[in-house]
Amino acid sequence: MQKRIWENLNSFYMIGIGGVSMSGIAKYLVAKGKTVAGSDIVAGDYTAELIKDGIKVSVGSAYDSVAAYEVVIYTDAVGENNPQLAEAKMLKKLIYSRGQFLYELSRTFKTVVAVSGCHGKTTCTAMLAHIFSASGKEFCSHIGGRDKTLSNTYYCGNSYFLTEACEYKKNFLLLKPDLGVVLNTDADHLECYGNKENLIAAYGQFLACSGTSVSLCGDKVTGSITFGYGKNADYRAKNIKSIGGVYSFIAMEGACELGNVKLAVYGKHNVLNALAAIAAARSLSIPFRYIKEGLAAFSGVERRFEIIGTVNGAPVIADYAHHPNEISETLKTAKKVTAGNLYVVFQPHTYSRTKNLFKNFVKVLSPLKNILIYRTFAAREYFDDKGSALTLSQSIKKSKYTDNTRDLSDFFSLAEKGDTILVLGAGDIYDLAKSVL
């Protein structure tokens, strides 16, 4: 086995440390007694959290030398012209991309469980973390969001590593999990893959390099274990019931009833996330009583149908949905819990996604009567008019476009008691909405 040189080194510098995945890695390194520092372009909740924990974080474009650090880790959003990355190369530091280092980190655990898919990765991984916690396992969870009780990283031992496996730039193919999960294969990140066929082929590669593989029954790729609603699925749900948008069901393992599962999070899509978590946990021989307990204890992840405040008695609910299919599911859930009108704010995430899935976005958003489209969150991309929020808004008759938080405030104020305000997107719309509130 290749030697893990970084384990014997003590100082790490992380370029883009404020990202949810990077901040999670930083927390793990600190838990292992390493010295960690980093930088990011803008401050946010995660940078504030790291600073509070005593980690030195430089925010903004000011140049911060990496000379004093032995290992440099950078995110995919960092360009080759980044001065800190250039300095690290010049000084011949040990350098890893985020995806490369996540693989290196995973190798320190006895068993690696990696969850992939276009939607649901964060929720399913968090569900598994609660199941492992209920069962008393020693594990580390690395989640792409802040679980309400376990945060984005939770560490209590090196037996199991639970992580999201992101398909962006084929990063998930760097991992070699003992158990790999594919929740779904919907088209996304086509700017990286070129077409959906290449994306599906990559998911197939991910399952092929996993020791045990779990997949959605009837999807484009098939693992050794399947979950889903169909009778052919190895793990399925029977007697699905909903009370106010929160679901319960009887979990089936083949023809055997495992028992009743009661979720504490909104949305029918979470039934599938729970089934995937059940399939993964059972393949690792975790008794159902702990699975049931863990799923009941999971109260959600930040930005996943999260109530962040009220306006005129109307709840303001934030959701990370930034793909047409995710938006569709979130809208279904919102309509179930809304007696009056639904007011929707949507911020597109990246120009490429909006352009590649433009017709799908128009189709899912056009039926809405009250919709405000906020300026695109560009992330790592340059402006592209064909995929801009303004262009999208112009194609949706009843929508309005804005890049001003005052318009956001005015839109919120239209709601009354009995209505619901839904804030959708994976960009900074979450923080903007909270600031308006």
Side-chain angles (χ1 to χ4, degrees):
M1 181 180 285
Q2 184 182 359
K3 190 176 179 181
R4 299 188 292 267
I5 302 171
W6 67 270
E7 282 190 90
N8 298 319
L9 303 177
N10 295 311
S11 57
F12 294 73
Y13 194 91
M14 305 181 70
I15 307 171
I17 196 170
V20 60
S21 179
M22 288 285 275
S23 70
I25 292 172
K27 290 177 184 178
Y28 172 80
L29 290 171
V30 169
K32 299 298 285 185
K34 308 294 185 181
T35 298
V36 180
S39 61
D40 216 314
I41 296 298
V42 295
D45 288 347
Y46 290 108
T47 53
E49 190 175 69
L50 295 174
I51 292 169
K52 186 178 179 181
D53 290 342
I55 296 174
K56 180 187 175 185
V57 180
S58 300
V59 178
S61 57
Y63 181 72
D64 189 15
S65 176
V66 301
Y69 301 90
E70 298 165 296
V71 183
V72 173
I73 307 168
Y74 66 95
T75 69
D76 286 319
V78 171
E80 290 295 321
N81 60 347
N82 180 276
Q84 292 173 309
L85 186 56
E87 182 193 22
K89 290 178 179 177
M90 182 188 71
L91 296 174
K92 296 183 178 179
K93 299 290 183 181
L94 186 60
I95 302 171
Y96 297 97
S97 69
R98 183 208 65 87
Q100 289 169 341
F101 192 76
L102 189 64
Y103 165 67
E104 287 292 323
L105 188 156
S106 73
R107 293 170 64 211
T108 67
F109 292 82
K110 293 178 183 178
T111 303
V112 177
V113 179
V115 181
S116 71
C118 181
H119 334 290
K121 292 187 293 290
T122 297
T123 296
C124 184
T125 308
M127 285 177 169
L128 280 169
H130 282 273
I131 290 169
F132 274 69
S133 179
S135 66
K137 302 285 188 185
E138 293 185 350
F139 72 97
C140 176
S141 55
H142 176 254
I143 303 169
R146 185 181 281 113
D147 181 275
K148 291 181 180 178
T149 54
L150 301 179
S151 193
N152 60 326
T153 292
Y154 179 82
Y155 175 72
C156 64
N158 278 65
S159 293
Y160 294 89
F161 184 53
L162 315 176
T163 187
E164 292 189 31
C166 179
E167 71 274 19
Y168 180 63
K169 288 191 174 180
K170 298 185 179 182
N171 276 324
F172 66 158
L173 297 183
L174 296 172
L175 292 166
K176 301 294 183 286
D178 299 283
L179 172 60
V181 180
V182 174
L183 297 171
N184 43 69
T185 59
D186 288 346
D188 201 9
H189 298 303
L190 296 182
E191 77 281 6
C192 303
Y193 290 91
N195 55 53
K196 188 174 180 180
E197 288 69 29
N198 292 337
L199 173 64
I200 292 169
Y203 277 118
Q205 285 179 259
F206 173 74
L207 289 181
C209 70
S210 301
T212 301
S213 53
V214 175
S215 69
L216 177 65
C217 185
D219 206 346
K220 301 292 184 180
V221 295
T222 303
S224 54
I225 300 170
T226 61
F227 68 93
Y229 294 128
K231 290 184 179 180
N232 293 329
D234 296 315
Y235 291 87
R236 59 188 178 86
K238 189 173 80 170
N239 292 358
I240 300 172
K241 297 177 182 178
S242 170
I243 300 176
V246 176
Y247 285 78
S248 65
F249 59 91
I250 294 174
M252 301 293 296
E253 185 177 64
C256 175
E257 286 189 8
L258 290 174
N260 192 63
V261 172
K262 188 175 181 180
L263 301 178
V265 287
Y266 289 98
K268 190 177 180 182
H269 57 283
N270 281 317
V271 173
L272 285 178
N273 289 330
L275 285 173
I278 292 168
R282 290 293 293 154
S283 73
L284 295 169
S285 302
I286 295 178
F288 179 72
R289 65 181 182 276
Y290 298 127
I291 295 172
K292 178 178 179 176
E293 182 183 335
L295 290 174
F298 172 61
S299 59
V301 178
E302 190 178 80
R303 297 185 74 168
R304 271 65 175 183
F305 216 78
E306 177 194 6
I307 298 176
I308 59 173
T310 59
V311 175
N312 300 331
V316 181
I317 299 173
D319 196 275
Y320 201 69
H322 56 286
H323 183 283
N325 291 354
E326 292 170 343
I327 293 169
S328 177
E329 288 300 318
T330 305
L331 290 174
K332 287 177 187 176
T333 303
K335 288 171 183 176
K336 282 194 173 185
V337 300
T338 303
N341 294 315
L342 184 61
Y343 292 85
V344 179
V345 177
F346 172 58
Q347 181 187 46
H349 188 273
T350 71
Y351 299 107
S352 59
R353 179 180 286 110
T354 307
K355 182 169 68 174
N356 289 330
L357 303 174
F358 196 88
K359 290 182 180 178
N360 304 74
F361 278 114
V362 172
K363 182 178 179 180
V364 74
L365 295 172
S366 288
L368 297 172
K369 295 178 181 178
N370 306 293
I371 177 168
L372 181 68
I373 297 181
Y374 200 81
R375 59 160 174 75
T376 301
F377 187 80
R380 53 200 169 259
E381 298 182 346
Y382 294 106
F383 178 78
D384 184 342
D385 182 62
K386 291 182 180 178
S388 73
L390 177 59
T391 301
L392 178 63
S393 179
Q394 290 170 340
S395 299
I396 300 170
K397 291 181 180 179
K398 295 177 183 177
S399 75
K400 294 181 180 179
Y401 168 81
T402 187
D403 57 5
N404 192 316
T405 55
R406 184 177 296 175
D407 292 333
L408 199 61
S409 179
D410 291 342
F411 186 72
F412 282 5
S413 68
L414 296 173
E416 300 175 350
K417 190 173 182 180
D419 298 338
T420 298
I421 302 168
L422 196 58
V423 180
L424 304 176
D428 59 0
I429 193 65
Y430 178 75
D431 293 324
L432 292 171
K434 287 175 77 174
S435 69
V436 167
L437 291 171

